Amino acid sequence: MTTALITGATAGIGAAFARRLAGDGHNLVLVARDTERLRVQATELHDRHGIEAEVLTADLSDDKGIAAVEARLGDRRQSVDLLVNNAGFGNKGRYLEVPMADELAMLKVHCEAVLRLTSAATAGMKERGRGGVVNVASVAAFVPRGTYGASKAWVVQFTQGAAKDLSGSGVRLMALCPGFVRTEFHERAGMGTDSIPGWMWLDADKLVATALMDLARGRTVSVPDARYKALMGLVKVTPRGLLGGVTSRTGRRYGPQ
Ligand SMILES: NC(=O)c1ccc[n+]([C@@H]2O[C@H](COP(=O)([O-])OP(=O)(O)OC[C@H]3O[C@@H](n4cnc5c(N)ncnc54)[C@H](OP(=O)(O)O)[C@@H]3O)[C@@H](O)[C@H]2O)c1
């Protein structure tokens, strides 16, 4: 039986990964800050799917939290075969409106934790000659959108580079770039969603199914759904200045996260 470790496993996209991977018979290590919620989720998944679900409480905006997950990923006696770096959040407001502490916490969770956890996991995977890492980025990685977009652009670039360096090792890395997904994300960030057209919303379970298919196919970047593939095609041919104007206006309060 293989084991998957998911950060931000209790809600939204992370919870969808947990449901799907448990359904496929993987044991799980569930990581988030809310211990009670993790315990309830672990019990439900164990009872429904007969898998082992371990709870690991960790705040990934904190060195101690990152170190605890690194230690679990580095434990050679109970190896992790798939890592999903999914934990993340949005900050409401444009540049200079967001408190510096919140910007730095975002970089810690979206970039430093992803770097350290990917490294802790892939070291053992490389030795074993197999394993996978999904780093959850966003389509915001491809447009100018403050610290959030910049942090997700880092995730995409880092993942593509590491995947290249590890090619032929049996270890697969993939950056997952969703558009809008109905989760707790926007409410937690205090962002309104009324102005987002219905067609732009993706379903978390379908997103995860596509992501796992793309990982199996060996893709290093996954943009699930034809709608967002088409939009990202447009983004590529739109002048950067024009793009910045649009995404900066729609960003932070109502734009794609
Ligand atoms: N929803 C979207 O439209 C969308 C679009 C593109 C990309 N994404 C990305 O998808 C990922 C998941 O987002 P989501 O939409 O599923 O959000 P969500 O529903 O708000 O879930 C976020 C999860 O991350 C955990 N988390 C947050 N901060 C954490 C921290 N400091 N340390 C550890 N765990 C933490 C939360 O649990 P606790 O609060 O218990 O820690 C929760 O389990 C994020 O990286 C986000 O940037 C989302």
Side-chain angles (χ1 to χ4, degrees):
M1 223 172 186
T2 55
T3 300
L5 185 148
I6 306 163
T7 70
T10 47
I13 297 168
F17 267 107
R19 282 192 296 275
R20 168 61 195 266
L21 292 168
D24 288 350
H26 299 276
N27 289 330
L28 298 177
V29 184
L30 306 167
V31 180
R33 291 167 298 185
D34 184 334
T35 308
E36 190 42 39
R37 204 170 169 186
L38 282 166
R39 284 203 185 117
V40 169
Q41 185 192 29
T43 305
E44 269 175 25
L45 292 170
H46 168 76
D47 292 350
R48 183 168 304 168
H49 302 288
I51 54 109
E52 296 306 318
E54 193 181 318
V55 162
L56 176 46
T57 307
D59 182 349
L60 297 174
S61 68
D62 177 78
D63 271 321
K64 224 172 100 193
I66 299 176
V69 186
E70 277 179 319
R72 178 63 186 83
L73 289 165
D75 185 346
R76 301 289 203 269
R77 291 161 306 160
Q78 30 178 6
S79 59
V80 169
D81 307 282
L82 176 68
L83 165 65
V84 183
N85 275 314
N86 161 79
F89 60 95
N91 286 324
K92 185 177 170 180
R94 295 182 180 197
Y95 176 59
L96 291 184
E97 292 169 2
V98 180
M100 186 52 69
D102 295 350
E103 298 273 49
L104 291 172
M106 177 173 279
L107 292 179
K108 192 109 182 166
V109 176
H110 290 183
C111 303
E112 183 177 334
V114 170
L115 169 65
R116 289 173 57 180
L117 301 189
T118 301
S119 305
T122 52
M125 290 175 183
K126 195 176 163 205
E127 283 169 18
R128 294 189 293 278
R130 64 190 153 77
V133 178
V134 176
N135 288 331
V136 181
S138 165
V139 292
F142 307 117
V143 295
R145 279 182 53 78
T147 302
Y148 184 86
S151 70
K152 295 301 189 180
W154 180 89
V155 173
V156 174
Q157 290 282 318
F158 162 68
T159 305
Q160 285 184 297
K164 182 127 192 68
D165 288 348
L166 290 178
S167 70
S169 69
V171 183
R172 288 183 179 179
L173 287 93
M174 186 183 83
L176 171 62
C177 301
F180 289 116
V181 191
R182 289 203 192 279
T183 66
E184 296 174 14
F185 182 100
H186 299 91
E187 199 185 332
R188 282 177 187 242
M191 295 170 182
T193 55
D194 291 351
S195 67
I196 302 167
W199 65 265
M200 291 193 92
W201 288 101
L202 300 175
D203 173 77
D205 292 308
K206 286 186 189 154
L207 174 89
V208 165
T210 307
L212 291 173
M213 246 179 336
D214 283 348
L215 183 69
R217 285 182 187 131
R219 301 237 161 105
T220 53
V221 177
S222 167
V223 178
D225 199 89
R227 290 162 283 185
Y228 280 96
K229 281 194 177 70
L231 270 178
M232 291 309 107
L234 267 180
V235 160
K236 273 191 194 144
V237 296
T238 305
R240 207 74 183 155
L242 185 63
L243 201 59
V246 174
T247 57
S248 161
R249 268 201 311 279
T250 54
R252 301 30 183 274
R253 289 187 182 87
Y254 303 110
Q257 301 308 316

